[in-house]
Structures are given as C-alpha cells and as structure tokens.
C-alpha cells in the first residue's frame, strides 16, 4: 500500500516537473521595454538653404531668384544658438530679361531654440534674435529712407553694418512642430571682402576711425528725431526697450579672475569690495542706474561696443580703411556715452588711452557735431560741456560691464597669463583698474 502511494506521488511529481519544463521552453521571452522617446536634436545641416527654405528671404527683393547650388564653408556648434552657417551660394537672377549666375558669400543665422528647458538665458537668445531681425528689417531701412529724402550724411545708416539680404520672424522650418524656430537672417559675409577680426587692442589711428563711425551711428537717430520733431521709430515695436546685453553671469567667477591680479598684497586690494559690488550689479541685470527717460544724449546704442563685435578692412587700392559693426541684437535705446566708455576701456591699448584720453573725447564730439550740422538741426543744447558731464556720469555705472568684457576678450581659461589678442588678461585688467581708480570711476 505504501509503495503504491509512493509511486503515485513520484509519477505526479515527474509530470509536474515535465509540465513546468515544457512551459519554460515554449514561452517566448518578453521584449525589453522601449526606450523613452528622445526629442530630435537640432543639428547643423549640410544644406541650410534647402533645409530651412532660406531662399525665400532672398526672393523678397527678387521673386524670380533660383537657387543653383550651396556650399557650407563652416557651420557652428549645434549646441550654440542661433545656428550659424557660412555659405557660398550660386543663384540664377534675371537681369534685363536674361538669366545670370550670381555668387553670394552669406552668413545665415537660424534661431533653432527648442522649449525643452525655457530659462532666462534662452529667453535672451530669442529676444536678441528678434531684435536683430527688426533692426535690419525696420530700423536700418527706415533710417536709409530718411537719408535718401532729407538727411545729408556722408554714408547711409546701413553702411555701418554688413549688408542684409533678408530677415524674417516667420519662415517655414522643418522643426516648427515643437517651437517657432523660424527667425532667420541672411547677412553679408565680410571675410571675402577683405574684412578682418581684430587681433590686438586698437592704436590711436584705428581708435579714431572706430570713434568716427560710432559717432555717425549715434548721431543718425538723434538728428532724425530733432529734424522731424517726432519719434522716428517705435521703441516697443522694435524691442529696443529690452536689454539683451546683460546676460545673467556668474559674478563670483569673474571676481575670482580679478583676484588673480588684485591679491591681498596688492596696493589696489582695498578696492576689491567696490569692484565686487559693480560686478554683482551687472551680473544681476542692474548694471546701469542711469535713467533711460527722454534725454539729450539718448540714441540707439550698440550696447556691446568692443572689438569683439567689429570687423575692419585695412586701406588698399580699392579704398580707405573701414569698420563694420556686428551683432545688432544688443542694440537698445541708451546714452551714446555708454558705447564710448565701453569701447575706450575694453578695446583701446591702455598706454594709448592714458596718453590720448582727452583727444579721443574731442574726436568723438567733433564728429558727432559735424553729423548734426550736416542734418541742419538745431543742436545748441548738445554742447561739449554737457557731453563731458554725461560721459563722466556713465563712467561711474559702466565698471561691471567693462570688467566682464575684458574677461571675454583676454582670459585664457587658465590663470590669465597667456597673451590673447595682443595682451594677457592679468596685464590688461591691472592697467584698466588702475586707470579707473585714477579717473575716479572706482571710489571707496
């Protein structure tokens, strides 16, 4: 009896084991869970004109333009916005009933910002792009129209910038499903025309050329406003009331760089707290206590007027030396003295600045007054004494921005010892701060 029961239990156990083994053999493994969806990256493409439909911008001036070929000479980092392409484009353009091939060297900017993480920095990028589009499509064209009708300046307002072939805030884009990345600008590539980037701080002759161009940049809006007695442009419609120069930065990191030079053993160390306050105000969007209400010296200022945002062309058999201003996305309504202070302390050789400080101010005011005289406007209130008082007032509130810009121009991402753009960071910051103390821009 016990043997029979034991045998039954053994047979039942074996059947159960075989059944389990069969299930294991026949059961298919479950597929791994699908990876989370990855948002498509905004990469630089090989054919930007075809990919972004940039040809539509060129057709704004000539609807019958046909794109023959495009060659991407250089493309920027896809993680940096706006996306920037350096292109050589061949076009068919009708000229007097005949199709002619035209070659353009173009810098194309496409916003390309997505909404995955919308923060203050990305907001400033969008505002800068929108402001640059409006500057080229509205402000520059409007001032050129005044030039053609009633203003008698030496050159058009548009000649102070690279030529703009087209700009748009609503242009069809393949990535438009996630965000409006369609803001696009096509501007002239100045490199093939002989323009160069600055490799060192300006000497006196180059500084005079830039200051004369800067005076023309500032005098044009003031002259048109005085001549017409009305505001020539809407500040709000063109986003000129939004400050895009003051990107929020780590003032502590900038202070650490300065402390490489101003050590506790330095004779300037007692000013370190004052310098920190200037950096703090600039880093948190409060760099300028100056009021932007109606003022004699308010104009459309560049906002980032240093050699980092300019290109120059040396004199040759084709003509005299010339300078073009880049990146108008920083431009805003501000005092014209702000650009002058910024340029003088960031971009002129310190020895030249110390020796020719008064000559530089005279040069700017002389050219500014000449431009107003060419426009036949009453500028009796724009005296040199008023201008000098305005300049000194702006000097007191521009320290933070100047020190930040010097770091962008000359710091070598190490200890500031390597010479970049003709001078090391340590030497440049030491000389500039000493000059600021001497000129009472930094006070205890």
């Amino acid at each position: 009896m016990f043997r029979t029961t034991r045998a039954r239990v053994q047979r039942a156990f074996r059947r159960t084991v075989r059944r389990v083994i069969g299930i294991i053999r026949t059961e298919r493994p479950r597929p791994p869970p699908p990876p989370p969806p990855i948002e498509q990256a905004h990469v630089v493409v090989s054919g930007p004109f075809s990919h972004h439909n940039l040809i539509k911008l060129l057709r704004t001036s000539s609807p019958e333009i046909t794109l023959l070929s495009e060659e991407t000479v250089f493309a920027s980092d896809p993680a940096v916005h706006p996306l920037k392409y350096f292109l050589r484009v061949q076009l068919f353009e009708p000229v007097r009933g005949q199709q002619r091939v035209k070659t353009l060297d173009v810098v194309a900017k496409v916003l390309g910002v997505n909404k995955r993480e919308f923060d203050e920095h990305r907001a400033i990028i969008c505002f800068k792009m929108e402001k640059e589009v409006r500057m080229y499509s509205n402000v520059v064209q409007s001032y050129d129209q005044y030039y053609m009708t009633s203003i008698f300046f030496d050159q058009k307002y548009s000649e102070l910038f690279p030529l703009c072939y087209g700009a748009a805030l609503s242009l069809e884009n393949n990535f438009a499903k996630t965000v409006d990345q369609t803001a696009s600008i096509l501007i002239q590539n100045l490199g093939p025309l002989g323009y160069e980037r600055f490799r060192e701080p300006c000497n006196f002759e180059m500084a005079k050329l830039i200051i004369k161009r800067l005076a023309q940049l500032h005098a044009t809006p003031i002259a048109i406003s005085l001549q017409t007695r009305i505001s020539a442009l809407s500040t709000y419609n063109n986003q000129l009331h939004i400050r895009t120069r003051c990107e929020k930065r780590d003032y502590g990191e900038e202070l650490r760089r300065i402390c490489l030079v101003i050590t506790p053993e330095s004779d300037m160390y007692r000013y370190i707290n004052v310098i920190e306050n200037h950096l703090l105000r600039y880093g948190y969007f409060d760099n300028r206590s100056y009021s932007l209400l109606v003022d004699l010296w308010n104009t459309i200022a560049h906002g980032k007027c240093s050699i980092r945002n300019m290109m120059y062309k040396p004199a040759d058999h084709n003509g005299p030396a010339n300078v073009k201003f880049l990146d108008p996305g920083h431009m805003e309504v501000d005092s014209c003295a702000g650009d002058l202070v910024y340029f003088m302390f960031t971009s002129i050789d310190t020895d030249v600045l110390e020796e020719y400080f008064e000559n530089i101010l005279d040069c700017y005011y002389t050219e500014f007054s000449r431009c107003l005289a060419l426009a036949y406007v009453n500028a009796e209130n724009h005296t040199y004494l008023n201008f000098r008082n305005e300049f000194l007032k702006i000097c007191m509130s521009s320290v933070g921005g100047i020190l930040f810009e010097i770091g962008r121009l000359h710091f070598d991402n190490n200890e500031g010892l390597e010479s970049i753009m003709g001078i090391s960071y340590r030497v440049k910051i030491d000389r500039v701060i000493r000059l600021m103390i001497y000129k009472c821009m930094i006070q205890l």
Side-chain angles (χ1 to χ4, degrees):
M1 178 179 179
F2 290 104
R3 290 181 179 177
T4 304
T5 304
R6 183 178 180 182
R8 290 177 179 174
V9 171
Q10 289 178 349
R11 286 195 297 272
F13 178 77
R14 293 191 189 101
R15 286 195 300 269
T16 303
V17 171
R18 286 196 298 269
R19 190 179 297 113
V20 171
I21 293 174
I23 293 174
I24 294 175
R25 288 177 178 175
T26 57
E27 186 180 6
R28 295 181 180 179
R30 294 182 179 180
I38 301 176
E39 188 170 348
Q40 187 175 9
H42 304 280
V43 297
V44 176
V45 296
S46 58
F49 263 83
S50 302
H51 186 77
H52 298 296
N53 294 319
L54 299 179
I55 188 65
K56 290 185 178 181
L57 293 185
L58 293 180
R59 287 175 179 163
T60 56
S61 58
S62 180
E64 300 179 10
I65 284 179
T66 303
L67 179 65
L68 292 179
S69 65
E70 55 175 309
E71 174 189 353
T72 304
V73 179
F74 172 78
S76 63
D77 185 351
V80 178
H81 297 94
L83 302 178
K84 184 181 293 186
Y85 307 93
F86 292 80
L87 307 166
R88 182 166 290 114
V89 185
Q90 282 191 330
L91 307 165
F92 257 145
E93 186 176 23
V95 179
R96 297 178 181 177
Q98 297 181 354
Q99 295 284 347
R100 293 186 180 180
V101 177
K102 184 177 182 180
T103 302
L104 296 178
D105 289 291
V106 181
V107 178
K109 293 182 181 181
V110 182
L111 180 58
V113 174
N114 55 64
K115 288 184 178 177
R116 285 180 295 180
E117 294 180 3
F118 192 85
D119 54 14
E120 289 182 280
H121 179 66
R122 185 165 288 108
I124 289 178
I125 292 175
C126 295
F127 279 131
K128 280 178 58 180
M129 189 71 176
E130 180 180 355
K131 188 187 292 186
E132 186 168 357
V133 170
R134 294 185 185 277
M135 279 296 303
Y136 279 121
S137 59
N138 296 341
V139 179
V140 173
Q141 292 185 13
S142 298
Y143 283 164
D144 276 357
Q145 291 176 0
Y146 279 99
Y147 170 87
M148 297 297 294
T149 57
S150 56
I151 303 296
F152 301 97
F153 289 149
D154 298 335
Q155 60 181 2
K156 294 182 180 180
Y157 190 74
S158 59
E159 294 175 0
L160 299 170
F161 307 95
L163 179 64
C164 180
Y165 296 116
L169 285 171
S170 56
L171 187 67
E172 184 179 351
N173 187 300
N174 289 357
F175 292 138
K177 295 180 180 179
T178 57
V179 69
D180 182 15
Q181 307 164 32
T182 61
S184 304
I185 305 173
L186 298 179
I187 60 176
Q188 186 179 35
N189 188 355
L190 297 176
L193 300 178
Y195 284 82
E196 304 173 2
R197 291 281 187 177
F198 287 86
R199 298 185 180 90
E200 59 184 9
C202 300
N203 56 30
F204 183 56
E205 293 302 320
M206 180 58 67
K208 286 198 302 182
L209 173 61
I210 295 174
I211 283 173
K212 288 181 179 180
R213 295 292 181 267
L214 191 61
Q216 295 169 10
L217 179 74
H218 294 158
T220 301
I222 294 177
I224 292 175
S225 178
L226 291 175
Q227 191 180 69
T228 59
R229 296 298 179 184
I230 58 174
S231 177
L233 293 165
S234 172
T235 299
Y236 285 88
N237 289 345
N238 292 290
Q239 303 294 349
L240 296 176
H241 65 292
I242 298 177
R243 290 207 156 182
T244 51
R245 76 173 81 172
C246 309
E247 300 174 7
K248 193 170 184 179
R249 300 188 177 101
D250 184 0
Y251 83 96
E253 177 64 21
E254 201 66 35
L255 183 64
R256 186 192 67 81
R257 295 176 181 177
I258 294 175
C259 287
L260 295 173
V261 179
I262 305 180
T263 61
E265 293 77 21
S266 172
D267 59 332
M268 296 187 294
Y269 189 74
R270 64 183 184 274
Y271 295 96
I272 195 66
N273 290 333
V274 180
I275 294 173
E276 181 180 4
N277 290 333
H278 283 288
L279 293 174
L280 181 62
R281 288 199 300 270
Y282 182 80
Y284 286 89
F285 299 92
D286 190 24
N287 68 309
R288 184 67 60 81
S289 58
Y290 176 73
S291 174
L292 290 180
L293 301 176
V294 177
D295 189 88
L296 286 173
W297 303 101
N298 276 2
T299 186
I300 299 180
H302 185 278
K304 285 274 188 174
C305 191
S306 76
I307 53 177
R308 195 160 58 105
N309 294 315
M310 303 177 196
M311 292 185 73
Y312 78 99
K313 181 181 180 182
D316 55 18
H317 63 280
N318 292 324
N322 196 13
V323 172
K324 300 274 189 181
F325 296 100
L326 309 178
D327 204 0
H330 295 292
M331 299 186 75
E332 63 190 19
V333 175
D334 199 358
S335 171
C336 57
D339 279 347
L340 183 59
V341 173
Y342 201 85
F343 169 71
M344 288 173 62
F345 283 89
T346 62
S347 305
I348 299 179
D349 182 85
T350 313
D351 292 334
V352 172
L353 186 59
E354 291 177 355
E355 182 177 357
Y356 296 101
F357 195 91
E358 297 298 330
N359 300 71
I360 292 172
L361 293 182
D362 291 339
C363 178
Y364 176 88
Y365 180 77
T366 301
E367 181 65 18
F368 182 88
S369 301
R370 188 185 73 87
C371 292
L372 295 186
L374 289 174
Y376 297 101
V377 297
N378 183 10
E380 59 182 9
N381 294 324
H382 291 80
T383 64
Y384 182 74
L385 180 60
N386 287 339
F387 168 71
R388 189 171 180 80
N389 291 335
E390 178 78 3
F391 179 85
L392 296 175
K393 181 169 56 176
I394 296 299
C395 281
M396 299 293 293
S397 55
S398 300
V399 175
I402 291 170
L403 297 181
F404 266 105
E405 183 65 15
I406 291 174
R408 302 301 173 273
L409 285 169
H410 299 289
F411 195 74
D412 58 2
N413 294 323
N414 186 9
E415 296 295 328
L417 296 171
E418 182 182 350
S419 180
I420 296 180
M421 297 189 71
I423 191 172
S424 70
Y425 173 79
R426 292 197 178 194
V427 173
K428 177 70 174 181
I429 205 72
D430 179 80
R431 291 183 177 180
V432 167
I433 291 178
R434 290 184 184 278
L435 183 59
M436 286 179 171
I437 294 173
Y438 176 74
K439 296 293 183 181
C440 298
M441 294 171 62
I442 298 177
Q443 300 178 359
L444 292 176

